[in-house]
Amino acid sequence: AISTDDLLNSVSASESVKQAFKNIFGNGLANILIIIVVISAIGTLNGLVIANSRCGYALAINKQRLFKKQMTSLTKKTNVPLLSSIVGYLLALMWLLYYYFSQTNDLANGTGFPFDSSELPIITNYLLYIPVLFCFMKKNSNLNVFKRFIMPSLGILASGFMVFAAIYRHKIN
């Protein structure tokens, strides 16, 4: 779809993708595909915002988070947890800014991060699952052994494996 020289000399990875789409599908359809990719990325960001917003509220409801009273306070008009939503938006904005600046500065050329920075939020989530699952096992004494210990232990092993794989692949960079 794109020659090696064009790939190596391209300004950015997104420019390479756009050129490959143009070579395969022509200019018109390539632009439509780029728009679909952008819509998909925005949808992913939306999912991150919603998950972050609801996660703070859910943890506060179960008394597993700081600022319990503020995090569970719902607005009268929309019935939405305002502080939890603000925290969710700020976390998503942090990742969006991090990704944007890592792709638009010299970091994208390999002088900063020697890996695809889109992996970092995913691996961070896997890393954060581990203490959450330990707390789950500690606090849910009313569950049976399978739900309280076996399933969370499998989650911890899977999360640990993903973190190990990322560290092994990128040599802790």
Side-chain angles (χ1 to χ4, degrees):
I2 188 170
S3 70
T4 307
D5 290 334
D6 289 341
L7 186 62
L8 291 173
N9 295 325
S10 65
V11 177
S12 67
S14 60
E15 196 61 40
S16 300
V17 170
K18 189 174 183 179
Q19 186 58 47
F21 280 170
K22 283 182 182 180
N23 291 347
I24 295 172
F25 302 110
N27 201 22
L29 191 54
N31 289 333
I32 292 171
L33 288 171
I34 294 294
I35 290 169
I36 290 170
V37 168
V38 169
I39 290 170
S40 175
I42 291 170
T44 302
L45 181 61
N46 182 48
L48 181 65
V49 169
I50 291 171
N52 284 339
S53 298
R54 298 305 295 174
C55 186
Y57 176 73
L59 288 172
I61 287 290
N62 292 314
K63 298 174 180 56
Q64 298 177 358
R65 188 172 183 144
L66 297 174
F67 307 110
K68 295 169 193 158
K69 184 178 179 186
Q70 295 87 348
M71 291 296 245
T72 57
S73 176
L74 302 175
T75 60
K76 291 177 182 164
K77 184 177 181 180
T78 60
N79 203 31
V80 170
L82 184 61
L83 182 59
S84 181
S85 296
I86 290 170
V87 170
Y89 281 112
L90 291 175
L91 287 170
L93 181 63
M94 177 192 73
W95 284 120
L96 178 66
L97 290 173
Y98 168 81
Y99 183 75
Y100 173 78
F101 286 116
S102 71
Q103 296 300 310
T104 57
N105 293 319
D106 288 337
L107 300 175
N109 296 325
T111 57
F113 300 118
F115 61 90
D116 178 9
S117 61
S118 64
E119 292 177 31
L120 191 58
I122 297 166
I123 294 305
T124 302
N125 280 342
Y126 278 118
L127 186 63
L128 293 175
Y129 289 156
I130 295 170
V132 167
L133 290 168
F134 275 117
C135 288
F136 177 86
M137 289 190 290
K138 180 181 175 186
K139 292 186 179 213
N140 290 293
S141 58
N142 60 331
L143 296 176
N144 64 35
V145 173
F146 182 75
K147 288 182 180 177
R148 182 175 178 195
F149 295 110
I150 295 174
M151 291 306 291
S153 295
L154 291 174
I156 290 168
L157 287 173
S159 296
F161 173 76
M162 292 301 291
V163 171
F164 169 77
I167 291 170
Y168 182 77
R169 179 171 180 250
H170 300 298
K171 311 287 188 263
I172 206 70
N173 290 330

